[in-house]
């Protein structure tokens, strides 16, 4: 999906959700986020942890969940 599409969805959800929300790509890079300064940051180890579970993963105080786009 396009980063612009994700950023549009995040922007719409930002006021309804009282926390930082975002999307990372397959390589662990933040591609959209409710805090624009975080876009481009690398999230180490998240992808590897998500490969081992279909549940949520909590790393460094952030919660991650894989989205199946297929």
């Amino acid at each position: 999906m396009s980063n612009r599409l994700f950023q549009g969805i995040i922007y719409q959800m930002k006021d309804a959700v009282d926390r930082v929300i975002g999307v990372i790509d397959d390589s662990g890079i933040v591609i959209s986020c409710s805090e624009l300064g975080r876009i481009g940051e690398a999230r180490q180890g998240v992808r590897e942890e998500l490969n081992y579970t279909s549940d949520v993963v909590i790393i460094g105080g952030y919660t991650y969940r894989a989205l199946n786009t297929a």
Side-chain angles (χ1 to χ4, degrees):
M1 280 194 181
S2 166
N3 297 3
R4 289 184 185 177
L5 175 63
F6 282 126
Q7 191 60 37
I9 293 168
I10 296 295
Y11 181 76
Q12 291 175 9
M13 294 175 59
K14 177 171 83 167
D15 293 331
V17 179
D18 188 29
R19 62 187 64 220
V20 176
I21 53 176
V23 176
I24 61 173
D25 66 9
D26 289 342
S27 60
I29 304 297
V30 178
I31 59 170
S32 64
C33 187
S34 58
E35 288 186 0
L36 297 177
R38 295 188 183 268
I39 295 174
E41 288 183 1
R43 297 293 172 183
Q44 301 298 325
V46 174
R47 181 175 160 228
E48 292 79 11
E49 289 296 323
L50 287 171
N51 284 337
Y52 291 110
T53 182
S54 61
D55 202 8
V56 298
V57 174
I58 300 172
I59 299 174
Y62 292 94
T63 304
Y64 300 89
R65 178 167 176 78
L67 300 175
N68 294 328
T69 57

